[in-house]
Amino acid sequence: MFQQKKPEQALRVEEVPSHIAIIMDGNGRWAEKRGMSRSEGHKKGIETIVQVVESASEASVEQLTLYAFSTENWKRPKSEVETILRLPVEFLKTYLPRLMAENVRLHVIGDIRPLPVYTRQALKYAIDRTKNNDGLQLNFALNYGSRNEMVEAVKELYREVQEGKLSLSELNEEHLSKHLYTSGLEDPDLLIRTGGEKRLSNFLLWQLAYTEFWFSDVLWPDFSNQDFASALEDFGKRKRRYGAV
Ligand code: IPE
Ligand code: IPE
Ligand code: MG
């Protein structure tokens, strides 16, 4: 007989991905559909971030990595880039107390050096304030690009070899991993991309080697707790083999 799965079974702790990465896509289209500016879509997207952080935290997810600004997003109109790079400031001004209350620790991956001073200052402050929290770790990928990340890692490894700190014959996957922005983080178990596109857009190319993918047509500002729960439920049904049988 077909037995219906109880809802709590879908969220059994051992089935919850410990690291979820999300490509938060669709803010612009969400706004355009409503005759609003793309920037309004990005602002609305913050509300989804807050919801998802809360849900992930409740589900005992350990790491949540959110793609917020790619190295390619500089190609957008100046005013849109400026809005996006101000979002961390607005987000943290409003929600830092909530992150503290939820015991969330903030971290950033990407090359933040070219970001405006106000963005870097807000992040630095929040990273410092949340550094002793031991709940969910929230990683914002800002000015993040996977290919650039790998080139930088190769340059650092080359220097180590040149200085005699590392021999070429010893160089292995672990060494490369340690030189990526994600050093110290486990690879994501689940990747979610909203907004209908089915591509990686230069996100975590190395780290997603064995990650489970889950795509949704829902635009990021409309992405609900229910959608997030569906992703987790689907993840719970996957069989990960890592090349074995
Ligand atoms: C994703 O939404 C957010 C960023 C890239 C910063 P988009 O702005 O790409 O939204 P669409 O894809 O144009 O709808
Ligand atoms: C990926 O979305 C980047 C972020 C979500 C930050 P994009 O909208 O930039 O990706 P493409 O251009 O559609 O590939
Ligand atoms: Mg997009």
Side-chain angles (χ1 to χ4, degrees):
M1 265 291 276
F2 175 72
Q3 253 200 328
Q4 202 164 9
K5 210 175 178 195
K6 292 194 207 105
E8 64 267 24
Q9 269 181 304
L11 287 174
R12 276 210 317 259
V13 171
E14 69 264 31
E15 288 171 353
V16 170
S18 48
H19 185 178
I20 301 179
I22 306 184
I23 302 175
M24 310 181 286
D25 199 19
N27 292 346
R29 279 165 286 163
W30 182 91
E32 282 161 7
K33 268 190 2 194
R34 289 164 175 76
M36 297 155 89
S37 71
R38 296 179 53 86
S39 295
E40 291 303 313
H42 296 307
K43 285 179 190 155
K44 185 73 183 165
I46 286 189
E47 291 169 29
T48 308
I49 294 179
V50 175
Q51 263 180 40
V52 167
V53 167
E54 227 163 66
S55 303
S57 208
E58 273 168 28
S60 303
V61 171
E62 288 166 24
Q63 302 266 346
L64 181 66
T65 301
L66 303 179
Y67 204 8
F69 189 77
S70 76
T71 47
E72 287 71 33
N73 287 147
W74 293 105
K75 294 177 196 161
R76 296 186 179 204
K78 204 167 164 244
S79 63
E80 184 177 345
V81 168
E82 215 175 281
T83 302
I84 297 171
L85 296 180
R86 274 205 186 274
L87 291 181
V89 182
E90 291 186 24
F91 169 73
L92 292 167
K93 207 162 66 187
T94 314
Y95 295 107
L96 185 57
R98 209 145 138 189
L99 295 181
M100 286 302 291
E102 279 174 37
N103 197 20
V104 171
R105 188 160 50 135
L106 192 74
H107 181 67
V108 171
I109 61 170
D111 181 6
I112 63 163
R113 291 169 301 181
L115 301 184
V117 179
Y118 51 80
T119 313
R120 282 182 284 137
Q121 271 177 348
L123 291 167
K124 191 167 175 271
Y125 177 74
I127 288 168
D128 193 58
R129 281 292 307 280
T130 62
K131 70 175 184 229
N132 294 322
N133 292 348
D134 58 4
L136 175 79
Q137 182 168 317
L138 174 60
N139 309 304
F140 273 111
L142 277 164
N143 194 29
Y144 176 87
S146 206
R147 289 184 168 182
N148 172 64
E149 175 185 43
M150 284 194 261
V151 170
E152 289 307 313
V154 168
K155 284 185 190 168
E156 284 172 22
L157 290 168
Y158 178 75
R159 253 177 252 129
E160 286 184 21
V161 170
Q162 259 195 334
E163 289 165 9
K165 290 178 185 156
L166 179 69
S167 77
L168 207 51
S169 57
E170 280 171 351
L171 178 57
N172 59 27
E173 293 179 8
E174 216 174 297
H175 289 118
L176 185 62
S177 288
K178 277 196 185 135
H179 283 81
L180 300 177
Y181 293 120
T182 48
S183 171
L185 308 185
E186 295 296 320
D187 289 341
D189 300 292
L190 173 66
L191 171 83
I192 296 174
R193 181 169 187 148
T194 64
E197 311 294 359
K198 289 167 187 73
R199 54 178 172 250
L200 293 179
S201 305
N202 204 12
F203 191 44
L204 303 173
L205 303 182
W206 170 276
Q207 297 87 339
L208 297 176
Y210 268 105
T211 300
E212 299 295 325
F213 288 9
W214 193 84
F215 295 102
S216 165
D217 288 334
V218 176
L219 304 173
W220 180 249
D222 287 331
F223 192 71
S224 66
N225 286 341
Q226 191 48 53
D227 296 320
F228 185 71
S230 301
L232 291 197
E233 197 186 331
D234 190 50
F235 175 84
K237 294 180 198 147
R238 307 278 180 102
K239 291 245 176 315
R240 304 179 79 186
R241 280 184 291 275
Y242 301 98
V245 286

